[in-house]
Amino acid sequence: MINLTDSALNAVRNAISTADRPVDGLRIMVEAGGCAGYKYMLGLVDAVDPDDTVIERDGVRVFVDNKSHQYLAGTTIDFVIALEGSGFTFDNPNANNSCSCGKSFG
């Protein structure tokens, strides 16, 4: 299971409400790359794919493809506002290491 904090849910809701096209939810993926081996990818999408796991919390739908699900199980996603910049953070129990940017893990 993937958990989004209240702050992350509010950030996704805000992004959906200001999108210039219809949005069905947030896709979260893991792809090879980044400085530690894998990188997190997030984006608003207008439809669910047949192989997606759909997680719904407080009206926000999150889509995770089957390949990424194994890397993201148990992850908590937060949205933080800081002097260095705002963005999503990932607390992933499956990550053995991560880079300083927080967007890549191994």
Side-chain angles (χ1 to χ4, degrees), residues 6 18 26 29 65 74 77-78 96 103:
D6 290 339
T18 59
L26 175 72
M29 297 174 48
D65 65 83
I77 300 172
D78 195 10
N96 294 322
K103 307 295 183 207

Side-chain angles (χ1 to χ4, degrees), residues 9-49:
L9 285 170
N10 288 335
V12 173
R13 277 192 201 101
N14 185 48
I16 290 171
S17 70
T18 59
D20 57 359
R21 59 184 168 76
V23 174
D24 196 23
L26 175 72
R27 178 171 310 286
I28 302 173
M29 297 174 48
V30 171
E31 291 185 350
C35 50
Y38 295 99
K39 61 184 176 180
Y40 300 106
M41 304 292 293
L42 294 109
L44 299 177
V45 295
D46 57 6
V48 61
D49 287 340

